[in-house]
């Protein structure tokens, strides 16, 4: 069993930055895929980015150049640094993990564990 807790969301103005955190606890594993997803009202859950245990990162086109995923393995925490935020980034952001990481990273159903989500609101 793995527990994930997101934090760091809030209300910001367009152009501002936020850093989201996803802290993991419970079962430990050395190989994983950790993904960030977001869901706006009335929309489907959307892939944002992911980091594999190797350190490789992946991003959806709409956030490339603005968002960066990093990790602190000692703290069992993954971060989503969001810069140059736009109103269309407004959503609930979720982190998710698939132990062993042997998945295609963009599909929500491929992940085993999810956090509760944190709200990001970007005003214009």
């Amino acid at each position: 069993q793995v527990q994930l807790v997101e934090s760091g969301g809030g209300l910001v103005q367009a152009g501002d930055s936020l850093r989201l955190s996803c802290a993991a606890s419970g079962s430990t594993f050395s190989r994983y895929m950790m993904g960030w997803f977001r869901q706006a009202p009335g929309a489907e859950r959307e892939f944002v980015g992911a980091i594999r245990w190797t350190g490789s990162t992946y991003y959806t086109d709409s956030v490339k150049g603005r968002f960066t995923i990093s990790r602190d393995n000692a703290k069992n925490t993954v971060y989503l640094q969001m810069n140059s935020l736009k109103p269309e980034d407004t959503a609930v952001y979720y982190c998710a993990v698939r132990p062993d990481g042997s998945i295609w990273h963009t599909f929500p159903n491929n992940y085993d564990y999810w956090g509760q989500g944190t709200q990001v609101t970007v005003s214009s």
Side-chain angles (χ1 to χ4, degrees), residues 48 58-68 86:
V48 175
Y58 315 89
Y59 303 95
T60 192
D61 286 345
S62 64
V63 308
K64 286 180 180 176
R66 299 189 297 121
F67 291 10
T68 303
K86 305 174 181 179

Side-chain angles (χ1 to χ4, degrees), residues 15-33:
D16 285 351
S17 298
L18 280 174
R19 188 176 76 162
L20 306 184
S21 299
C22 176
S25 61
S27 300
T28 59
F29 38 85
S30 58
R31 298 184 178 187
Y32 59 86
M33 184 75 76

